[in-house]
Amino acid sequence: MGVRIGVLALQGDVSEHILAFRHALDGKGEVCAVRRPEEIADLDGLAIPGGESTTICRLVDKNAMRRPIEAFEGGIFATCAGMVLAAREVDDPRIAPLGCIDIIVERNAFGRQRESFETDVHIAGLRTPFHAVFIRAPVASRVGPKATVLGSVDRGVVAVRSGRHMALAFHPELGGDTRLHCMFLEHLQDTG
Ligand code: GLN
């Protein structure tokens, strides 16, 4: 039957990730929108999308999803606001991160003048640069020993892998390039 991927569907770029994963899976698995805590444990991978991290954080708790996500044994694909939530520590006291990935994250790290921009990022493991869309993006200000830097821009680290988890400060679901979704699927069997 292939892998089962869920996209946390509380707020944010949900349908874009579902389409990107459908494309990346090419019929070899299924993708669903996750709205209830009991849907999480059976998945192989869970995407936490971009959106507004303070809102997603509040909705995670309101919907009793914190425990199931913390206990989840599959891979986490955390993008933009998702990267903020999946971190070990965040520089904003309003957010209690889920601690899935050993990084410290600075929210809105590019400031007002560069709230939104696109640039090519070299990603370890990809043959050509990834054209990345940044929207009020975070950076990883520290990367713990369990995580590996996959890509950086001037301001800091914007792509990280930790075993089967990935965190991306930008929006890989926008733009039609699904190589990072594919990379996540390839590493789903990794340990750690
Ligand atoms: N700045 C947002 C936050 O921290 C993230 C923005 C996004 O996901 N595009 O919630």
Side-chain angles (χ1 to χ4, degrees), residues 11-13 48-56 79-85 90 92 94-95 105-109 115 133-138 168-171 173-174:
Q11 191 260 341
D13 276 359
I48 308 181
E52 176 54 46
S53 54
T54 50
T55 305
I56 301 177
T79 62
C80 202
M83 169 164 160
V84 175
L85 285 164
V90 180
D92 185 332
R94 289 173 300 169
I95 293 170
V105 163
E106 191 184 325
R107 284 187 76 208
N108 302 327
E115 277 201 339
V133 178
F134 290 80
I135 304 168
R136 297 177 60 228
L168 306 169
F170 48 89
H171 285 260
E173 76 285 8
L174 303 178

PDB file of all heavy atoms in Angstrom, residues 11-13 48-56 79-85 90 92 94-95 105-109 115 133-138 168-171 173-174, ligand 1:
ATOM      1  N   GLN A  11      -4.401  25.256  10.194  1.00  0.00           N
ATOM      2  CA  GLN A  11      -4.316  26.591   9.581  1.00  0.00           C
ATOM      3  C   GLN A  11      -3.113  26.561   8.648  1.00  0.00           C
ATOM      4  O   GLN A  11      -2.186  25.787   8.855  1.00  0.00           O
ATOM      5  CB  GLN A  11      -4.108  27.645  10.685  1.00  0.00           C
ATOM      6  CG  GLN A  11      -4.251  29.098  10.251  1.00  0.00           C
ATOM      7  CD  GLN A  11      -2.913  29.774  10.024  1.00  0.00           C
ATOM      8  OE1 GLN A  11      -1.893  29.316  10.507  1.00  0.00           O
ATOM      9  NE2 GLN A  11      -2.927  30.854   9.251  1.00  0.00           N
ATOM     10  N   GLY A  12      -3.141  27.383   7.607  1.00  0.00           N
ATOM     11  CA  GLY A  12      -1.956  27.539   6.758  1.00  0.00           C
ATOM     12  C   GLY A  12      -2.061  26.828   5.423  1.00  0.00           C
ATOM     13  O   GLY A  12      -3.149  26.524   4.940  1.00  0.00           O
ATOM     14  N   ASP A  13      -0.866  26.567   4.845  1.00  0.00           N
ATOM     15  CA  ASP A  13      -0.740  26.063   3.470  1.00  0.00           C
ATOM     16  C   ASP A  13      -1.031  24.575   3.339  1.00  0.00           C
ATOM     17  O   ASP A  13      -0.158  23.802   2.927  1.00  0.00           O
ATOM     18  CB  ASP A  13       0.708  26.276   3.015  1.00  0.00           C
ATOM     19  CG  ASP A  13       0.909  27.668   2.492  1.00  0.00           C
ATOM     20  OD1 ASP A  13      -0.055  28.442   2.469  1.00  0.00           O
ATOM     21  OD2 ASP A  13       2.047  27.972   2.098  1.00  0.00           O
ATOM     22  N   ILE A  48       3.932  19.777   8.895  1.00  0.00           N
ATOM     23  CA  ILE A  48       3.393  20.920   9.639  1.00  0.00           C
ATOM     24  C   ILE A  48       3.636  22.132   8.744  1.00  0.00           C
ATOM     25  O   ILE A  48       4.770  22.525   8.513  1.00  0.00           O
ATOM     26  CB  ILE A  48       4.076  21.085  11.010  1.00  0.00           C
ATOM     27  CG1 ILE A  48       4.056  19.768  11.789  1.00  0.00           C
ATOM     28  CG2 ILE A  48       3.386  22.196  11.811  1.00  0.00           C
ATOM     29  CD1 ILE A  48       4.692  19.835  13.181  1.00  0.00           C
ATOM     30  N   PRO A  49       2.566  22.712   8.188  1.00  0.00           N
ATOM     31  CA  PRO A  49       2.730  23.682   7.114  1.00  0.00           C
ATOM     32  C   PRO A  49       3.079  25.086   7.592  1.00  0.00           C
ATOM     33  O   PRO A  49       3.030  25.379   8.788  1.00  0.00           O
ATOM     34  CB  PRO A  49       1.338  23.692   6.464  1.00  0.00           C
ATOM     35  CG  PRO A  49       0.404  23.331   7.550  1.00  0.00           C
ATOM     36  CD  PRO A  49       1.152  22.415   8.478  1.00  0.00           C
ATOM     37  N   GLY A  50       3.392  25.941   6.629  1.00  0.00           N
ATOM     38  CA  GLY A  50       3.531  27.358   6.909  1.00  0.00           C
ATOM     39  C   GLY A  50       2.169  27.957   7.192  1.00  0.00           C
ATOM     40  O   GLY A  50       1.131  27.403   6.809  1.00  0.00           O
ATOM     41  N   GLY A  51       2.178  29.077   7.864  1.00  0.00           N
ATOM     42  CA  GLY A  51       0.945  29.744   8.249  1.00  0.00           C
ATOM     43  C   GLY A  51       1.308  30.757   9.317  1.00  0.00           C
ATOM     44  O   GLY A  51       2.271  31.493   9.160  1.00  0.00           O
ATOM     45  N   GLU A  52       0.616  30.722  10.404  1.00  0.00           N
ATOM     46  CA  GLU A  52       0.920  31.623  11.527  1.00  0.00           C
ATOM     47  C   GLU A  52       1.190  30.731  12.740  1.00  0.00           C
ATOM     48  O   GLU A  52       0.278  30.072  13.243  1.00  0.00           O
ATOM     49  CB  GLU A  52      -0.268  32.570  11.731  1.00  0.00           C
ATOM     50  CG  GLU A  52      -0.140  33.485  12.919  1.00  0.00           C
ATOM     51  CD  GLU A  52       1.145  34.295  12.911  1.00  0.00           C
ATOM     52  OE1 GLU A  52       1.512  34.863  11.869  1.00  0.00           O
ATOM     53  OE2 GLU A  52       1.800  34.342  13.972  1.00  0.00           O
ATOM     54  N   SER A  53       2.439  30.744  13.194  1.00  0.00           N
ATOM     55  CA  SER A  53       2.818  29.757  14.212  1.00  0.00           C
ATOM     56  C   SER A  53       2.093  29.960  15.535  1.00  0.00           C
ATOM     57  O   SER A  53       1.783  28.988  16.220  1.00  0.00           O
ATOM     58  CB  SER A  53       4.331  29.742  14.413  1.00  0.00           C
ATOM     59  OG  SER A  53       4.810  31.029  14.695  1.00  0.00           O
ATOM     60  N   THR A  54       1.801  31.224  15.891  1.00  0.00           N
ATOM     61  CA  THR A  54       1.073  31.427  17.163  1.00  0.00           C
ATOM     62  C   THR A  54      -0.329  30.806  17.061  1.00  0.00           C
ATOM     63  O   THR A  54      -0.816  30.189  18.013  1.00  0.00           O
ATOM     64  CB  THR A  54       0.955  32.934  17.503  1.00  0.00           C
ATOM     65  OG1 THR A  54       0.455  33.624  16.356  1.00  0.00           O
ATOM     66  CG2 THR A  54       2.283  33.520  17.894  1.00  0.00           C
ATOM     67  N   THR A  55      -0.949  30.938  15.908  1.00  0.00           N
ATOM     68  CA  THR A  55      -2.293  30.371  15.712  1.00  0.00           C
ATOM     69  C   THR A  55      -2.236  28.848  15.693  1.00  0.00           C
ATOM     70  O   THR A  55      -3.035  28.172  16.367  1.00  0.00           O
ATOM     71  CB  THR A  55      -2.890  30.867  14.369  1.00  0.00           C
ATOM     72  OG1 THR A  55      -2.860  32.286  14.376  1.00  0.00           O
ATOM     73  CG2 THR A  55      -4.304  30.375  14.167  1.00  0.00           C
ATOM     74  N   ILE A  56      -1.287  28.302  14.925  1.00  0.00           N
ATOM     75  CA  ILE A  56      -1.215  26.830  14.833  1.00  0.00           C
ATOM     76  C   ILE A  56      -0.926  26.251  16.223  1.00  0.00           C
ATOM     77  O   ILE A  56      -1.513  25.249  16.633  1.00  0.00           O
ATOM     78  CB  ILE A  56      -0.172  26.371  13.798  1.00  0.00           C
ATOM     79  CG1 ILE A  56      -0.512  26.931  12.406  1.00  0.00           C
ATOM     80  CG2 ILE A  56      -0.118  24.838  13.725  1.00  0.00           C
ATOM     81  CD1 ILE A  56       0.500  26.609  11.312  1.00  0.00           C
ATOM     82  N   THR A  79       7.602  23.209   7.735  1.00  0.00           N
ATOM     83  CA  THR A  79       7.962  24.307   6.842  1.00  0.00           C
ATOM     84  C   THR A  79       7.478  25.641   7.405  1.00  0.00           C
ATOM     85  O   THR A  79       6.332  25.776   7.822  1.00  0.00           O
ATOM     86  CB  THR A  79       7.359  24.084   5.437  1.00  0.00           C
ATOM     87  OG1 THR A  79       5.950  24.068   5.507  1.00  0.00           O
ATOM     88  CG2 THR A  79       7.833  22.762   4.851  1.00  0.00           C
ATOM     89  N   CYS A  80       8.367  26.612   7.397  1.00  0.00           N
ATOM     90  CA  CYS A  80       8.104  27.992   7.820  1.00  0.00           C
ATOM     91  C   CYS A  80       7.478  28.035   9.221  1.00  0.00           C
ATOM     92  O   CYS A  80       8.153  27.713  10.188  1.00  0.00           O
ATOM     93  CB  CYS A  80       7.300  28.726   6.762  1.00  0.00           C
ATOM     94  SG  CYS A  80       7.515  30.509   6.935  1.00  0.00           S
ATOM     95  N   ALA A  81       6.210  28.384   9.384  1.00  0.00           N
ATOM     96  CA  ALA A  81       5.612  28.368  10.719  1.00  0.00           C
ATOM     97  C   ALA A  81       5.758  26.977  11.346  1.00  0.00           C
ATOM     98  O   ALA A  81       5.946  26.840  12.559  1.00  0.00           O
ATOM     99  CB  ALA A  81       4.142  28.755  10.652  1.00  0.00           C
ATOM    100  N   GLY A  82       5.711  25.937  10.509  1.00  0.00           N
ATOM    101  CA  GLY A  82       5.904  24.561  10.988  1.00  0.00           C
ATOM    102  C   GLY A  82       7.293  24.365  11.582  1.00  0.00           C
ATOM    103  O   GLY A  82       7.467  23.659  12.577  1.00  0.00           O
ATOM    104  N   MET A  83       8.295  25.020  10.980  1.00  0.00           N
ATOM    105  CA  MET A  83       9.671  24.931  11.502  1.00  0.00           C
ATOM    106  C   MET A  83       9.749  25.590  12.883  1.00  0.00           C
ATOM    107  O   MET A  83      10.432  25.093  13.781  1.00  0.00           O
ATOM    108  CB  MET A  83      10.624  25.623  10.518  1.00  0.00           C
ATOM    109  CG  MET A  83      12.026  25.847  11.024  1.00  0.00           C
ATOM    110  SD  MET A  83      13.130  26.233   9.631  1.00  0.00           S
ATOM    111  CE  MET A  83      14.493  27.032  10.473  1.00  0.00           C
ATOM    112  N   VAL A  84       9.025  26.699  13.040  1.00  0.00           N
ATOM    113  CA  VAL A  84       8.978  27.376  14.338  1.00  0.00           C
ATOM    114  C   VAL A  84       8.398  26.417  15.386  1.00  0.00           C
ATOM    115  O   VAL A  84       8.943  26.239  16.477  1.00  0.00           O
ATOM    116  CB  VAL A  84       8.127  28.673  14.250  1.00  0.00           C
ATOM    117  CG1 VAL A  84       7.962  29.319  15.618  1.00  0.00           C
ATOM    118  CG2 VAL A  84       8.723  29.658  13.248  1.00  0.00           C
ATOM    119  N   LEU A  85       7.302  25.755  15.020  1.00  0.00           N
ATOM    120  CA  LEU A  85       6.623  24.869  15.972  1.00  0.00           C
ATOM    121  C   LEU A  85       7.410  23.607  16.287  1.00  0.00           C
ATOM    122  O   LEU A  85       7.373  23.109  17.398  1.00  0.00           O
ATOM    123  CB  LEU A  85       5.259  24.469  15.407  1.00  0.00           C
ATOM    124  CG  LEU A  85       4.234  25.577  15.494  1.00  0.00           C
ATOM    125  CD1 LEU A  85       3.066  25.287  14.586  1.00  0.00           C
ATOM    126  CD2 LEU A  85       3.770  25.727  16.927  1.00  0.00           C
ATOM    127  N   VAL A  90      12.237  28.485  20.734  1.00  0.00           N
ATOM    128  CA  VAL A  90      11.852  29.598  19.859  1.00  0.00           C
ATOM    129  C   VAL A  90      12.043  30.892  20.640  1.00  0.00           C
ATOM    130  O   VAL A  90      11.833  30.913  21.857  1.00  0.00           O
ATOM    131  CB  VAL A  90      10.363  29.469  19.446  1.00  0.00           C
ATOM    132  CG1 VAL A  90       9.943  30.614  18.546  1.00  0.00           C
ATOM    133  CG2 VAL A  90      10.112  28.153  18.743  1.00  0.00           C
ATOM    134  N   ASP A  92      10.253  33.388  20.899  1.00  0.00           N
ATOM    135  CA  ASP A  92       8.993  34.071  21.169  1.00  0.00           C
ATOM    136  C   ASP A  92       8.247  33.316  22.274  1.00  0.00           C
ATOM    137  O   ASP A  92       7.839  32.164  22.085  1.00  0.00           O
ATOM    138  CB  ASP A  92       8.153  34.090  19.876  1.00  0.00           C
ATOM    139  CG  ASP A  92       6.884  34.892  20.036  1.00  0.00           C
ATOM    140  OD1 ASP A  92       6.362  34.990  21.166  1.00  0.00           O
ATOM    141  OD2 ASP A  92       6.398  35.418  19.021  1.00  0.00           O
ATOM    142  N   ARG A  94       5.377  33.375  23.303  1.00  0.00           N
ATOM    143  CA  ARG A  94       3.983  32.976  23.038  1.00  0.00           C
ATOM    144  C   ARG A  94       3.896  31.580  22.439  1.00  0.00           C
ATOM    145  O   ARG A  94       2.821  31.021  22.317  1.00  0.00           O
ATOM    146  CB  ARG A  94       3.325  33.972  22.081  1.00  0.00           C
ATOM    147  CG  ARG A  94       3.058  35.321  22.736  1.00  0.00           C
ATOM    148  CD  ARG A  94       2.574  36.306  21.727  1.00  0.00           C
ATOM    149  NE  ARG A  94       3.566  36.495  20.670  1.00  0.00           N
ATOM    150  CZ  ARG A  94       3.351  37.134  19.535  1.00  0.00           C
ATOM    151  NH1 ARG A  94       2.172  37.634  19.285  1.00  0.00           N
ATOM    152  NH2 ARG A  94       4.311  37.273  18.643  1.00  0.00           N
ATOM    153  N   ILE A  95       5.057  31.068  22.016  1.00  0.00           N
ATOM    154  CA  ILE A  95       5.032  29.760  21.358  1.00  0.00           C
ATOM    155  C   ILE A  95       5.723  28.710  22.221  1.00  0.00           C
ATOM    156  O   ILE A  95       6.879  28.880  22.602  1.00  0.00           O
ATOM    157  CB  ILE A  95       5.701  29.858  19.977  1.00  0.00           C
ATOM    158  CG1 ILE A  95       4.826  30.739  19.098  1.00  0.00           C
ATOM    159  CG2 ILE A  95       5.866  28.475  19.345  1.00  0.00           C
ATOM    160  CD1 ILE A  95       5.439  31.127  17.825  1.00  0.00           C
ATOM    161  N   VAL A 105      15.109  28.438  17.007  1.00  0.00           N
ATOM    162  CA  VAL A 105      14.580  29.197  15.877  1.00  0.00           C
ATOM    163  C   VAL A 105      14.279  30.640  16.267  1.00  0.00           C
ATOM    164  O   VAL A 105      13.771  30.919  17.349  1.00  0.00           O
ATOM    165  CB  VAL A 105      13.312  28.489  15.333  1.00  0.00           C
ATOM    166  CG1 VAL A 105      12.490  29.415  14.459  1.00  0.00           C
ATOM    167  CG2 VAL A 105      13.700  27.256  14.530  1.00  0.00           C
ATOM    168  N   GLU A 106      14.629  31.525  15.330  1.00  0.00           N
ATOM    169  CA  GLU A 106      14.292  32.937  15.474  1.00  0.00           C
ATOM    170  C   GLU A 106      13.144  33.210  14.497  1.00  0.00           C
ATOM    171  O   GLU A 106      13.291  32.999  13.290  1.00  0.00           O
ATOM    172  CB  GLU A 106      15.532  33.737  15.084  1.00  0.00           C
ATOM    173  CG  GLU A 106      15.483  35.190  15.408  1.00  0.00           C
ATOM    174  CD  GLU A 106      16.746  35.875  14.886  1.00  0.00           C
ATOM    175  OE1 GLU A 106      17.826  35.254  14.905  1.00  0.00           O
ATOM    176  OE2 GLU A 106      16.629  37.019  14.438  1.00  0.00           O
ATOM    177  N   ARG A 107      12.041  33.658  15.032  1.00  0.00           N
ATOM    178  CA  ARG A 107      10.874  33.957  14.163  1.00  0.00           C
ATOM    179  C   ARG A 107      11.109  35.229  13.365  1.00  0.00           C
ATOM    180  O   ARG A 107      11.809  36.126  13.810  1.00  0.00           O
ATOM    181  CB  ARG A 107       9.614  34.196  14.986  1.00  0.00           C
ATOM    182  CG  ARG A 107       8.977  32.975  15.545  1.00  0.00           C
ATOM    183  CD  ARG A 107       7.642  33.359  16.196  1.00  0.00           C
ATOM    184  NE  ARG A 107       6.607  33.609  15.218  1.00  0.00           N
ATOM    185  CZ  ARG A 107       5.578  34.434  15.398  1.00  0.00           C
ATOM    186  NH1 ARG A 107       5.455  35.118  16.510  1.00  0.00           N
ATOM    187  NH2 ARG A 107       4.687  34.596  14.447  1.00  0.00           N
ATOM    188  N   ASN A 108      10.451  35.339  12.228  1.00  0.00           N
ATOM    189  CA  ASN A 108      10.455  36.579  11.427  1.00  0.00           C
ATOM    190  C   ASN A 108      11.866  37.165  11.315  1.00  0.00           C
ATOM    191  O   ASN A 108      12.072  38.367  11.493  1.00  0.00           O
ATOM    192  CB  ASN A 108       9.506  37.611  12.041  1.00  0.00           C
ATOM    193  CG  ASN A 108       8.084  37.071  12.136  1.00  0.00           C
ATOM    194  OD1 ASN A 108       7.656  36.298  11.287  1.00  0.00           O
ATOM    195  ND2 ASN A 108       7.357  37.445  13.157  1.00  0.00           N
ATOM    196  N   ALA A 109      12.818  36.320  11.017  1.00  0.00           N
ATOM    197  CA  ALA A 109      14.227  36.693  11.128  1.00  0.00           C
ATOM    198  C   ALA A 109      14.691  37.674  10.055  1.00  0.00           C
ATOM    199  O   ALA A 109      15.758  38.264  10.180  1.00  0.00           O
ATOM    200  CB  ALA A 109      15.086  35.429  11.068  1.00  0.00           C
ATOM    201  N   GLU A 115      10.251  40.989   4.228  1.00  0.00           N
ATOM    202  CA  GLU A 115       9.196  40.095   4.716  1.00  0.00           C
ATOM    203  C   GLU A 115       8.976  38.945   3.765  1.00  0.00           C
ATOM    204  O   GLU A 115       8.717  37.826   4.169  1.00  0.00           O
ATOM    205  CB  GLU A 115       7.897  40.869   4.872  1.00  0.00           C
ATOM    206  CG  GLU A 115       7.839  41.606   6.183  1.00  0.00           C
ATOM    207  CD  GLU A 115       6.437  41.943   6.605  1.00  0.00           C
ATOM    208  OE1 GLU A 115       5.549  41.979   5.739  1.00  0.00           O
ATOM    209  OE2 GLU A 115       6.244  42.175   7.782  1.00  0.00           O
ATOM    210  N   VAL A 133      10.751  30.333  -1.832  1.00  0.00           N
ATOM    211  CA  VAL A 133       9.876  31.471  -1.513  1.00  0.00           C
ATOM    212  C   VAL A 133       9.881  31.648   0.011  1.00  0.00           C
ATOM    213  O   VAL A 133       9.506  30.731   0.752  1.00  0.00           O
ATOM    214  CB  VAL A 133       8.433  31.191  -1.992  1.00  0.00           C
ATOM    215  CG1 VAL A 133       7.504  32.337  -1.613  1.00  0.00           C
ATOM    216  CG2 VAL A 133       8.402  30.939  -3.490  1.00  0.00           C
ATOM    217  N   PHE A 134      10.330  32.820   0.454  1.00  0.00           N
ATOM    218  CA  PHE A 134      10.382  33.121   1.889  1.00  0.00           C
ATOM    219  C   PHE A 134       9.279  34.118   2.212  1.00  0.00           C
ATOM    220  O   PHE A 134       9.180  35.173   1.582  1.00  0.00           O
ATOM    221  CB  PHE A 134      11.728  33.758   2.243  1.00  0.00           C
ATOM    222  CG  PHE A 134      12.897  32.814   2.177  1.00  0.00           C
ATOM    223  CD1 PHE A 134      13.486  32.498   0.958  1.00  0.00           C
ATOM    224  CD2 PHE A 134      13.418  32.250   3.332  1.00  0.00           C
ATOM    225  CE1 PHE A 134      14.571  31.634   0.898  1.00  0.00           C
ATOM    226  CE2 PHE A 134      14.500  31.382   3.278  1.00  0.00           C
ATOM    227  CZ  PHE A 134      15.072  31.073   2.060  1.00  0.00           C
ATOM    228  N   ILE A 135       8.445  33.803   3.201  1.00  0.00           N
ATOM    229  CA  ILE A 135       7.375  34.719   3.611  1.00  0.00           C
ATOM    230  C   ILE A 135       7.438  34.859   5.139  1.00  0.00           C
ATOM    231  O   ILE A 135       7.138  33.919   5.861  1.00  0.00           O
ATOM    232  CB  ILE A 135       5.986  34.185   3.193  1.00  0.00           C
ATOM    233  CG1 ILE A 135       5.936  33.913   1.677  1.00  0.00           C
ATOM    234  CG2 ILE A 135       4.886  35.174   3.589  1.00  0.00           C
ATOM    235  CD1 ILE A 135       4.727  33.126   1.212  1.00  0.00           C
ATOM    236  N   ARG A 136       7.895  36.018   5.583  1.00  0.00           N
ATOM    237  CA  ARG A 136       8.085  36.261   7.034  1.00  0.00           C
ATOM    238  C   ARG A 136       8.753  35.037   7.686  1.00  0.00           C
ATOM    239  O   ARG A 136       8.279  34.482   8.683  1.00  0.00           O
ATOM    240  CB  ARG A 136       6.753  36.580   7.709  1.00  0.00           C
ATOM    241  CG  ARG A 136       6.122  37.869   7.170  1.00  0.00           C
ATOM    242  CD  ARG A 136       4.768  38.145   7.793  1.00  0.00           C
ATOM    243  NE  ARG A 136       4.892  38.286   9.218  1.00  0.00           N
ATOM    244  CZ  ARG A 136       4.104  37.672  10.107  1.00  0.00           C
ATOM    245  NH1 ARG A 136       3.158  36.875   9.712  1.00  0.00           N
ATOM    246  NH2 ARG A 136       4.285  37.877  11.378  1.00  0.00           N
ATOM    247  N   ALA A 137       9.865  34.682   7.106  1.00  0.00           N
ATOM    248  CA  ALA A 137      10.463  33.386   7.429  1.00  0.00           C
ATOM    249  C   ALA A 137      11.327  33.421   8.690  1.00  0.00           C
ATOM    250  O   ALA A 137      11.897  34.452   9.033  1.00  0.00           O
ATOM    251  CB  ALA A 137      11.323  32.935   6.250  1.00  0.00           C
ATOM    252  N   PRO A 138      11.425  32.276   9.340  1.00  0.00           N
ATOM    253  CA  PRO A 138      12.360  32.134  10.460  1.00  0.00           C
ATOM    254  C   PRO A 138      13.747  31.723   9.963  1.00  0.00           C
ATOM    255  O   PRO A 138      13.915  31.415   8.775  1.00  0.00           O
ATOM    256  CB  PRO A 138      11.738  30.990  11.265  1.00  0.00           C
ATOM    257  CG  PRO A 138      11.086  30.127  10.219  1.00  0.00           C
ATOM    258  CD  PRO A 138      10.646  31.051   9.107  1.00  0.00           C
ATOM    259  N   LEU A 168      12.270  23.426   7.058  1.00  0.00           N
ATOM    260  CA  LEU A 168      12.600  24.379   5.995  1.00  0.00           C
ATOM    261  C   LEU A 168      11.971  25.727   6.350  1.00  0.00           C
ATOM    262  O   LEU A 168      10.780  25.792   6.683  1.00  0.00           O
ATOM    263  CB  LEU A 168      12.036  23.894   4.655  1.00  0.00           C
ATOM    264  CG  LEU A 168      12.458  22.471   4.244  1.00  0.00           C
ATOM    265  CD1 LEU A 168      11.634  22.002   3.047  1.00  0.00           C
ATOM    266  CD2 LEU A 168      13.947  22.424   3.918  1.00  0.00           C
ATOM    267  N   ALA A 169      12.765  26.789   6.273  1.00  0.00           N
ATOM    268  CA  ALA A 169      12.258  28.119   6.649  1.00  0.00           C
ATOM    269  C   ALA A 169      11.378  28.713   5.562  1.00  0.00           C
ATOM    270  O   ALA A 169      10.622  29.645   5.800  1.00  0.00           O
ATOM    271  CB  ALA A 169      13.437  29.048   6.931  1.00  0.00           C
ATOM    272  N   PHE A 170      11.486  28.169   4.352  1.00  0.00           N
ATOM    273  CA  PHE A 170      10.750  28.723   3.213  1.00  0.00           C
ATOM    274  C   PHE A 170       9.542  27.831   2.886  1.00  0.00           C
ATOM    275  O   PHE A 170       9.165  26.971   3.688  1.00  0.00           O
ATOM    276  CB  PHE A 170      11.693  28.911   2.013  1.00  0.00           C
ATOM    277  CG  PHE A 170      12.544  27.701   1.727  1.00  0.00           C
ATOM    278  CD1 PHE A 170      12.106  26.709   0.882  1.00  0.00           C
ATOM    279  CD2 PHE A 170      13.797  27.562   2.336  1.00  0.00           C
ATOM    280  CE1 PHE A 170      12.874  25.589   0.627  1.00  0.00           C
ATOM    281  CE2 PHE A 170      14.586  26.439   2.079  1.00  0.00           C
ATOM    282  CZ  PHE A 170      14.126  25.461   1.232  1.00  0.00           C
ATOM    283  N   HIS A 171       8.954  28.059   1.712  1.00  0.00           N
ATOM    284  CA  HIS A 171       7.715  27.359   1.333  1.00  0.00           C
ATOM    285  C   HIS A 171       7.965  26.435   0.134  1.00  0.00           C
ATOM    286  O   HIS A 171       7.732  26.838  -1.012  1.00  0.00           O
ATOM    287  CB  HIS A 171       6.629  28.376   0.969  1.00  0.00           C
ATOM    288  CG  HIS A 171       6.038  29.055   2.151  1.00  0.00           C
ATOM    289  ND1 HIS A 171       4.823  28.696   2.700  1.00  0.00           N
ATOM    290  CD2 HIS A 171       6.514  30.073   2.910  1.00  0.00           C
ATOM    291  CE1 HIS A 171       4.563  29.468   3.747  1.00  0.00           C
ATOM    292  NE2 HIS A 171       5.574  30.319   3.887  1.00  0.00           N
ATOM    293  N   GLU A 173       6.247  24.104  -0.883  1.00  0.00           N
ATOM    294  CA  GLU A 173       4.980  23.686  -1.500  1.00  0.00           C
ATOM    295  C   GLU A 173       4.510  24.692  -2.551  1.00  0.00           C
ATOM    296  O   GLU A 173       3.558  24.416  -3.270  1.00  0.00           O
ATOM    297  CB  GLU A 173       3.905  23.473  -0.418  1.00  0.00           C
ATOM    298  CG  GLU A 173       3.300  24.734   0.181  1.00  0.00           C
ATOM    299  CD  GLU A 173       4.212  25.472   1.166  1.00  0.00           C
ATOM    300  OE1 GLU A 173       5.395  25.094   1.290  1.00  0.00           O
ATOM    301  OE2 GLU A 173       3.742  26.432   1.791  1.00  0.00           O
ATOM    302  N   LEU A 174       5.173  25.852  -2.619  1.00  0.00           N
ATOM    303  CA  LEU A 174       4.799  26.852  -3.623  1.00  0.00           C
ATOM    304  C   LEU A 174       5.831  26.807  -4.747  1.00  0.00           C
ATOM    305  O   LEU A 174       7.018  26.793  -4.487  1.00  0.00           O
ATOM    306  CB  LEU A 174       4.801  28.266  -3.004  1.00  0.00           C
ATOM    307  CG  LEU A 174       3.911  28.480  -1.783  1.00  0.00           C
ATOM    308  CD1 LEU A 174       4.058  29.913  -1.262  1.00  0.00           C
ATOM    309  CD2 LEU A 174       2.461  28.185  -2.114  1.00  0.00           C
TER     310      LEU A 174
HETATM  311  N1  GLN B   1       6.172  34.374  10.508  1.00  0.00           N
HETATM  312  C1  GLN B   1       5.268  33.292  10.603  1.00  0.00           C
HETATM  313  C2  GLN B   1       5.259  32.671  11.981  1.00  0.00           C
HETATM  314  O1  GLN B   1       6.223  32.650  12.674  1.00  0.00           O
HETATM  315  C3  GLN B   1       5.577  32.207   9.607  1.00  0.00           C
HETATM  316  C4  GLN B   1       5.202  32.676   8.256  1.00  0.00           C
HETATM  317  C5  GLN B   1       4.939  31.568   7.302  1.00  0.00           C
HETATM  318  O2  GLN B   1       4.709  30.425   7.649  1.00  0.00           O
HETATM  319  N2  GLN B   1       4.943  31.942   6.060  1.00  0.00           N
HETATM  320  O3  GLN B   1       4.250  32.178  12.308  1.00  0.00           O
END
